[in-house]
Every structure is written in C-alpha cells, then in structure tokens.
Amino acid sequence: MATFKKACYDCHSNKSAYPWYWNIQPVAWFMSNHIDEGKHHLNFSEFTSSVIRRQYKTIEEIGDEVEHGDMPVASYTLIHKEAALEDAEKQAVIGWSRSAMHSIEDKYPPDSLKKH
C-alpha cells in the first residue's frame, strides 16, 4: 500500500495532492487532463466497487505497466523523485499483481474474468 500511495495515488485516486504550481496555466490544464486520464484508467478510491472482471484486468495492467517501466510515468518522477520505484518495489508490485490475479482465478470461473 505504501508503494501505491507514494507512486500512484496523485494521479490514480481521489486523494491527489496538488502542488503550488497547480495554479499556473498551462501547467494546471496539463495536470488536470493527466489526472483525469489517470483516474479513468485506474482509480484506487473506487477500485473495489468495480466488477471483478475489471478488477482482474486492472491488476494485470498494473503489473504489466510497472514491469515494462511505463508507470509511474517519467514526467511525474522527474519532478517527484520520491515516486520513482526502486527495483525491489517494482518486484513487489509485480509479485502482488500476479498473486492477486491467482487469488481471483481461484475464486471465480474463468469466463467471468474475460470480456465477452
């Protein structure tokens, strides 16, 4: 949870922390669009209210994005150095993703996890 909070929550939750430069245009427009898009793909604040198929797919995407180095995005970690993931943190997220997927697979029939 701590890793998700430090690296993901600003763009992927309803708990975004807006820095002082949030009030400067066009930075505010860029950030607003970026955060809206991030929440559209994944919003940790609303994650558990999603259907299990969506949760499963999102968990898979989290692991893939971190494994391929696509998340957190470079433009964010450039300014927020503390959000950059160490190798051990990346492996922990990837491991969590795989474990969570297996746990879901054990509880739900395969056809309920695939888009029809």
Side-chain angles (χ1 to χ4, degrees), residues 12-39:
H12 295 286
S13 80
N14 294 337
K15 299 179 181 185
S16 301
Y18 298 102
W20 63 267
Y21 50 84
W22 170 259
N23 296 312
I24 301 171
Q25 298 299 350
V27 175
W29 294 325
F30 171 78
M31 288 180 61
S32 180
N33 183 54
H34 186 80
I35 291 169
D36 288 347
E37 186 176 330
K39 285 186 201 180

Side-chain angles (χ1 to χ4, degrees), residues 11-102:
C11 296
H12 295 286
S13 80
N14 294 337
K15 299 179 181 185
S16 301
Y18 298 102
W20 63 267
Y21 50 84
W22 170 259
N23 296 312
I24 301 171
Q25 298 299 350
V27 175
W29 294 325
F30 171 78
M31 288 180 61
S32 180
N33 183 54
H34 186 80
I35 291 169
D36 288 347
E37 186 176 330
K39 285 186 201 180
H40 174 74
H41 291 287
L42 166 62
N43 187 337
F44 283 105
S45 300
E46 301 171 2
F47 178 76
T48 57
S49 65
S50 299
V51 296
I52 196 64
R53 178 181 65 242
R54 175 129 170 93
Q55 289 180 38
Y56 180 82
K57 182 65 176 162
T58 300
I59 291 168
E60 179 181 35
E61 289 172 353
I62 290 169
D64 289 347
E65 293 284 324
V66 170
E67 185 171 25
H68 295 114
D70 296 328
M71 284 289 158
V73 294
S75 62
Y76 183 73
T77 57
L78 182 66
I79 297 169
H80 303 275
K81 303 280 188 211
E82 73 284 357
L85 298 177
E86 302 290 333
D87 286 338
E89 291 171 314
K90 290 178 184 178
Q91 291 308 312
V93 170
I94 294 165
W96 166 84
S97 171
R98 291 178 181 149
S99 176
M101 288 174 65
H102 291 305

